[in-house]
Amino acid sequence: MLHYKQKKNQTSKGNRLLISVTVLGSAGPLRFVVNEEELVTAVIDTALKSYAREGRLPILGSDLNDFLLYCPNAGTDALGPLDTIGSQGTRNFMLCKKPQPVKRSEENDMLSVKESVPSAARKGNGTWKSWLNKSLNLKISSH
């Protein structure tokens, strides 16, 4: 009968993984160790706490229900909150805020902005920068 020592990165709950979580809009990834059996919600919570503890910008908040975790190699669908992190077979993830639904008043504001934009700018007859320069009559003087 062969006896073997349990590997260092194995515990009674499973393997531990060093994962990298890139936060959309942040300078660099967060790296931390998780158990492969941990749920996606626990990983999001750990990432948000680590992000806040490091004082990173932009400020994200702490409500883990406002965020989705993506696996860049697995397609465009976000991971389910009850999925295990080790089931993906990868160690790189991306954390993004959930898209916020447009409120009714914001839709009306967007319509009024669209109506105030000249039709030439809306049709794409130039870039928005050229339209802005023309409409504001910005001229740079030499001295």
Side-chain angles (χ1 to χ4, degrees):
M1 186 189 299
L2 291 172
H3 293 279
Y4 65 95
K5 291 184 180 180
Q6 194 172 19
K7 290 183 182 178
K8 244 185 185 181
N9 66 343
Q10 282 186 335
T11 63
S12 61
K13 294 182 181 180
N15 289 335
R16 295 175 54 100
L17 306 171
L18 175 64
I19 64 169
S20 177
V21 178
T22 301
V23 178
L24 193 63
S26 184
L30 299 165
R31 290 183 179 91
F32 51 92
V33 177
V34 295
N35 189 316
E36 71 178 357
E37 299 299 320
E38 261 190 84
L39 299 179
V40 168
T41 53
V43 172
I44 293 173
D45 187 45
T46 303
L48 291 174
K49 286 177 182 174
S50 176
Y51 187 90
R53 186 175 38 249
E54 292 178 16
R56 292 184 179 221
L57 294 175
I59 297 173
L60 298 177
S62 60
D63 187 4
L64 59 104
N65 294 317
D66 290 343
F67 295 91
L68 296 171
L69 193 66
Y70 291 91
C71 179
N73 302 341
T76 58
D77 292 335
L79 302 178
L82 299 178
D83 291 344
T84 58
I85 202 69
S87 67
Q88 301 306 311
T90 185
R91 295 179 183 194
N92 297 316
F93 300 93
M94 181 168 286
L95 184 67
C96 303
K97 270 199 165 191
K98 285 183 182 176
Q100 300 299 320
V102 177
K103 295 178 184 171
R104 211 59 192 142
S105 63
E106 289 177 11
E107 286 178 6
N108 292 338
D109 291 344
M110 292 302 288
L111 288 175
S112 64
V113 168
K114 187 177 179 182
E115 291 168 359
S116 68
V117 175
S119 61
R122 275 187 269 139
K123 289 180 184 173
N125 292 340
T127 64
W128 66 272
K129 289 181 183 179
S130 64
W131 171 81
L132 183 63
N133 286 334
K134 288 177 186 176
S135 63
L136 295 177
N137 250 347
L138 292 177
K139 294 181 181 177
I140 301 174
S141 62
S142 59
H143 290 297

